[in-house]
Amino acid sequence: MSTSTPPRPRTTTTSAPARSRTASPFAGVRAVAAALMAAVAGTALLDAPAPTAVPPPPPATTRAAAAAEAVRTAAAPGGPGAPASAVSTASAASTPVHFTGKAFDTCEAPSVETMRAWRGSPYGAVGIYFAGRGRGCPGQRELGPGWVASVQAMGWRLLPVFVGSQAPCVEAPAKKPFAIGSDPWGQGTREAGDAVRAARALGLDTSSPLYLDIESYRRGDAPCAATTLSFVRAWNREVRRLGYLPGFYSSADTGVRDIEAQRKAGTADLPAVMWFARWLGKPALATEAALAPAAWTPHARIHQYAGNVAESYGGHRLVIDRNAVDAPVARLTTARTGFASSSRTASHASVPSSSPVVARDPARP
């Protein structure tokens, strides 16, 4: 079967087109010790710096939430400037899977047949729009637990993208109905819960990255940027609390630039992974002008360097965006021990090749 996915509506900026797209209470010393061990282990995931200043979080609604907050540390699991969360011992034992190479994303998950045909492509990972009210293709006829297990078994690695509420000053007309409301922190927290539930339903395990898609928005609009930042920080905090890794996708000159400014300021609850869009036509993963050279390194960057490109492999045509990846990819709850990590360096992607090879698909170079 041949699958052809229509391109998503986008807006154009000068440099980065936008794409369409409980905790339980701790009981006793053992639980606190386990939480502290999880937090310490988390700091090694992406080796990111701790924040220099951490603003206080919103008031805890329960004593359990306050107790959990008390054991958080100043260093996020793999992310710059974000507090680590106390998670279960099982979650602490799981570590992110890093992929180095080329990836594509497309509005609607292709069929299993198409994914099999595309194993002959230069791509080793695929972005999936798994949830969120702002998705350009909400139907996702193919995407389900069976699809996820099948394509993972073929050797594909997955980049789960959540397209929820958008900046109040979002540029894309199709995204304006999904603007963040009057309670950005509460809304971000609720949508983070939606994202985690959807990820679990697909069989994506804890420590998997969930990438929040914030489309390009109007530059210079300080109130809009502040509202968007509050939403993003709340989403990140809750995703971490629930045991997953918060990633962030946006235009290099809007969302990414604003988040980088917050990193420099030492703001808490920032993304662990940065996926920036700047359509240069070729990868520039380590030289993005909007990011400091050491920011979101190592293994914490994705560059979307081309978009709305038609490609065919094995007689199956797709309209895709091209990405260079050195970042975490999804873990499956059914993944076997020994197949928890994959690293495949693309032949013409400017990405570091330091991700450890734990398992390699023998059918691919």
Side-chain angles (χ1 to χ4, degrees), residues 225-309:
T227 295
T228 305
L229 177 64
S230 181
F231 174 88
V232 172
R233 290 181 62 221
W235 194 90
N236 293 339
R237 177 181 283 259
E238 184 68 0
V239 165
R240 277 194 180 94
R241 189 185 73 81
L242 295 172
Y244 289 76
L245 198 64
F248 181 75
Y249 165 89
S250 192
S251 161
D253 279 337
T254 55
V256 171
R257 188 177 296 275
D258 287 346
I259 293 292
E260 168 67 351
Q262 295 300 317
R263 184 196 65 82
K264 291 178 178 178
T267 302
D269 300 310
L270 297 186
V273 192
M274 184 64 75
W275 187 342
F276 58 94
R278 193 183 291 278
W279 291 3
L280 301 172
K282 59 182 180 180
L285 197 61
T287 56
E288 168 51 44
L291 298 173
W296 282 279
T297 60
H299 314 312
R301 287 192 183 193
I302 303 174
H303 178 199
Q304 186 184 87
Y305 62 89
N308 290 337
V309 179

Side-chain angles (χ1 to χ4, degrees), residues 56-126:
T61 57
T62 66
R63 291 186 180 181
E69 186 67 26
V71 299
R72 297 175 188 238
T73 70
S85 298
V87 295
S88 67
T89 303
S91 296
S94 62
T95 56
V97 179
H98 296 112
F99 171 82
T100 302
K102 295 183 72 175
F104 75 90
D105 62 275
T106 188
C107 190
E108 186 168 351
S111 68
V112 170
E113 290 82 1
T114 298
M115 294 301 294
R116 184 175 294 109
W118 273 55
R119 286 297 288 156
S121 75
Y123 304 103
V126 56

